[in-house]
Amino acid sequence: MNIYSMTRPKIVAVDGPAGSGKSSICATVCRDLNWSYVNTGALYRAVGLLAGDRGVPLTEGPALSRVLHEFAESARWEHESARLFVGVEDFTPRLNTVEAGNAASCVAKMPTVRDALMPHQRKLSLTAPRGAIVDGRDIGTVVFPDADLKIFMTASLEQRAMRRLKQIEKASGPTEFSHDDIMRAIALRDQQDSQRDSAPMRIADDAIVFDTSHMNLEMAIESLKELLRAKGLVK
Ligand code: DC
């Protein structure tokens, strides 16, 4: 153990595809344990939305740099309320929309975006007063290769589409998208996230694979807590 790992908060990295249950499970476990939950997808979503608001094409490096600069200057994450502000605007209500997910997947391919968001992800996690569960696609492989525990959370494509549909309806009300539409969109997203050149989603060598296909939310929350206990991270 080096001095850095002795002084930093405990970090649990949770990676996995869209709809595997990461955000609902991790947020509740953190609330119950009084840990901090860092949802890194929200940062990619916010950058994608901000680029759209500023009329910047999502794949144009130099123009995106201006957006990233604005984001770095004016984004603020409130740990307690789990709200993300850019300047005075609360982006939280827009983060779970289909538009935000698509924009995020697009900007997430850009190395400039990934590099710029790295310090935000690390700072948000390392300033956690107790421990942090950090969820994303490359947390155990790139952002925190030295995490205390690495989990790769997954579920069947059908289940993930069902959960995503509910999440979209909760965020934006009734939607014209069917379960099949969402399934196709998620399959495409999986492909984009796992086949991009820059930090593709993959299972870290030392990660535990956690399949939530046959778990309800309560079971998944209890199982994750049990893993943290077994690893000696919480009592
Ligand atoms: O987890 P999510 O659905 O909110 O993520 C939105 C997009 O951002 C998704 O396409 C993958 C990307 N992402 C990423 O590339 N790396 C992360 N650490 C988090 C999200």
Side-chain angles (χ1 to χ4, degrees):
M1 188 187 282
N2 59 32
I3 185 80
Y4 167 72
S5 61
M6 283 168 68
T7 52
R8 70 155 168 74
K10 298 290 180 210
I11 301 287
V12 174
V14 179
D15 291 303
S20 52
K22 297 188 304 290
S23 54
S24 323
I25 297 165
C26 297
T28 310
V29 169
C30 283
R31 193 200 58 208
D32 291 354
L33 299 177
N34 202 11
W35 276 35
S36 303
Y37 169 49
V38 180
N39 173 356
T40 64
L43 302 179
Y44 288 91
R45 284 168 182 263
V47 167
L49 287 172
L50 188 62
D53 292 351
R54 300 289 175 263
V56 167
L58 298 176
T59 50
E60 207 177 274
L64 273 178
S65 297
R66 286 200 303 277
V67 172
L68 288 164
H69 183 73
E70 180 182 351
F71 187 79
E73 292 289 301
S74 58
R76 188 167 48 85
W77 176 265
E78 275 188 10
H79 266 305
E80 316 76 51
S81 61
R83 304 198 85 76
L84 179 63
F85 291 84
V86 179
V88 290
E89 192 190 339
D90 184 358
F91 268 43
T92 324
R94 297 164 67 199
L95 291 177
N96 277 328
T97 58
V98 175
E99 179 205 1
N102 291 341
S105 186
C106 221
V107 294
K109 283 187 232 158
M110 308 287 291
T112 30
V113 174
R114 304 203 73 81
D115 291 348
L117 289 183
M118 174 78 114
H120 293 283
Q121 298 172 66
R122 292 188 59 87
K123 187 172 166 207
L124 279 170
S125 313
L126 293 172
T127 51
R130 288 162 65 92
I133 302 186
V134 190
D135 93 19
R137 301 293 189 286
D138 61 340
I139 307 303
T141 50
V142 176
V143 182
F144 284 110
D146 57 345
D148 298 282
L149 172 64
K150 297 181 191 176
I151 289 168
F152 190 86
M153 200 173 278
T154 189
S156 68
L157 184 59
E158 279 214 339
Q159 275 294 331
R160 292 192 284 127
M162 198 121 73
R163 292 171 188 166
R164 206 48 152 191
L165 187 58
K166 283 192 188 143
Q167 200 178 38
I168 292 167
E169 284 173 346
K170 200 169 158 201
S172 340
T175 167
E176 79 269 28
F177 297 111
S178 67
H179 181 255
D180 273 4
D181 292 335
I182 307 271
M183 221 155 70
R184 272 192 296 275
I186 290 189
L188 182 68
R189 174 82 55 84
D190 289 352
Q191 198 185 16
Q192 281 177 348
D193 291 343
S194 54
Q195 291 181 5
R196 66 181 174 224
D197 293 332
S198 186
M201 174 177 69
R202 67 172 183 83
I203 306 177
D205 295 337
D206 47 352
I208 295 171
V209 176
F210 188 97
D211 188 332
T212 64
S213 304
H214 303 291
M215 294 184 194
N216 62 26
L217 188 57
E218 289 70 33
M219 286 162 71
I221 289 165
E222 273 320 304
S223 307
L224 181 55
K225 284 184 191 165
E226 194 46 53
L227 280 178
L228 266 68
R229 278 186 220 111
K231 194 73 186 162
L233 300 175
V234 291
K235 296 229 169 71

